[in-house]
Amino acid sequence: MDYMANMNWMGLLSLLVSAAAALVCITFHELSHGYVAYRLGDPTARQMGRLSLNPIKHLDPIGFLMMIFAGVGWAKPVPVDMRYFKNPKRGIAITALAGPVSNFLMAIVTMLICSLVYRLLLPTDSMVLLVVFYFLCNVAILSVGLGLFNLIPISPLDGSKVLFSFLPDRVYYTILRYERYIMIAVIALVFFNVLDGPLSFCINGVLQFLCRVTGLPWEALVVGSQILDFLG
């Protein structure tokens, strides 16, 4: 009973809502990859059950934890077979770009809803609205973070697929063979916060721009993304 009485329930709620926000972001990111690949002629993602809104199918445990605690991360890559594309390099580039684009679109839609919830929240002290607002703010921030992180032109991140599509075929396919090893270096860069400064600067810049576009006050987004932590 003492343990239950001293439990930080607000902190637990904050962690659960943040985890839910991260799951939403990675699910739509990977689903977008698979759907665009499918529309371009590659049935691989569909055959392997990756055209799904079930977040468990897209979950990479390390990338998921990094999203919650570091603000950037990754999901389990959607399988893509470029042999199905009429133009393999272009098909891969478009498929790769679909993930970050979906995150930016999600951020815009979420912040528009945030703006509405914020106006409903001002005259009330509804706990339900506070949790919803916290969730939406975190979805918006994590979406922008995930989108920008994946645009970094380091293999196997999405940005590299777009950039490398302009390289000669011999160089392009050589890089693809070593993707898994390069990913270890990317994980190290995130773990040791090497990318933290530049990414934070870019994320804040994009979020401030989207705040102006959607009419959501910047201060409301910042406070909203931490409000449950304050209450805890």
Side-chain angles (χ1 to χ4, degrees), residues 130-142:
L130 277 176
V131 172
V132 171
F133 190 61
Y134 178 81
F135 171 75
L136 292 171
C137 288
N138 275 276
V139 168
I141 293 170
L142 289 174

Side-chain angles (χ1 to χ4, degrees), residues 74 149 155-157 178-188:
W74 55 88
F149 176 69
S155 184
L157 299 178
Y178 293 99
E179 272 191 341
R180 68 185 65 184
Y181 304 109
I182 301 173
M183 188 62 193
I184 296 174
V186 174
I187 293 174

Side-chain angles (χ1 to χ4, degrees), residues 26 29-31 33-34 44-45 48 50 57-61 63 74-80 95 150 156-158 161 179-180 183:
I26 63 175
H29 181 97
E30 294 303 322
L31 178 61
H33 283 317
T44 308
M48 298 187 70
R50 296 296 301 276
K57 292 184 178 291
H58 308 292
L59 189 64
D60 179 283
W74 55 88
K76 183 166 64 176
V78 164
V80 176
T95 299
N150 276 277
L157 299 178
D158 298 329
K161 303 294 196 308
E179 272 191 341
R180 68 185 65 184
M183 188 62 193

Side-chain angles (χ1 to χ4, degrees), residues 12-220:
L12 178 60
L13 177 62
S14 171
L15 179 63
L16 292 175
V17 175
S18 297
L23 287 174
V24 168
C25 295
I26 63 175
T27 298
F28 277 92
H29 181 97
E30 294 303 322
L31 178 61
S32 298
H33 283 317
Y35 178 73
V36 169
Y38 176 70
R39 295 292 296 178
L40 291 174
D42 177 16
T44 308
R46 182 185 181 190
Q47 292 170 351
M48 298 187 70
R50 296 296 301 276
L51 294 187
S52 170
L53 287 171
N54 180 359
I56 303 302
K57 292 184 178 291
H58 308 292
L59 189 64
D60 179 283
I62 296 176
F64 177 62
L65 291 174
M66 295 300 284
M67 277 200 70
I68 296 175
F69 297 108
V72 293
W74 55 88
K76 183 166 64 176
V78 164
V80 176
D81 190 339
M82 65 171 60
R83 291 174 296 181
Y84 286 102
F85 299 144
K86 293 179 180 178
N87 185 323
K89 288 167 65 175
R90 185 177 65 185
I92 285 289
I94 295 173
T95 299
L97 200 57
V101 168
S102 73
N103 287 131
F104 295 135
L105 291 176
M106 176 180 287
I108 292 171
V109 172
T110 303
M111 290 172 73
L112 285 170
I113 301 173
C114 263
S115 184
L116 174 61
V117 174
Y118 175 68
R119 284 160 177 76
L120 293 174
L121 188 60
L122 283 177
T124 74
D125 56 356
S126 168
M127 188 62 196
V128 173
L129 281 180
L130 277 176
V131 172
V132 171
F133 190 61
Y134 178 81
F135 171 75
L136 292 171
C137 288
N138 275 276
V139 168
I141 293 170
L142 289 174
S143 289
V144 171
L146 185 61
L148 287 175
F149 176 69
N150 276 277
L151 283 178
I152 296 174
I154 301 176
S155 184
L157 299 178
D158 298 329
S160 69
K161 303 294 196 308
V162 179
L163 177 64
F164 295 165
S165 65
F166 298 100
L167 297 176
D169 288 351
R170 181 176 58 83
V171 178
Y172 180 81
Y173 292 113
T174 299
I175 293 173
L176 290 182
R177 282 199 296 271
Y178 293 99
E179 272 191 341
R180 68 185 65 184
Y181 304 109
I182 301 173
M183 188 62 193
I184 296 174
V186 174
I187 293 174
L189 290 174
V190 174
F191 184 79
F192 291 108
N193 297 322
V194 175
L195 300 174
D196 189 53
L199 266 178
S200 295
F201 176 79
C202 293
I203 290 170
N204 286 337
V206 172
L207 286 171
Q208 288 178 23
F209 171 75
L210 293 181
C211 279
R212 292 194 294 271
V213 171
T214 59
L216 176 67
W218 168 248
E219 295 79 10

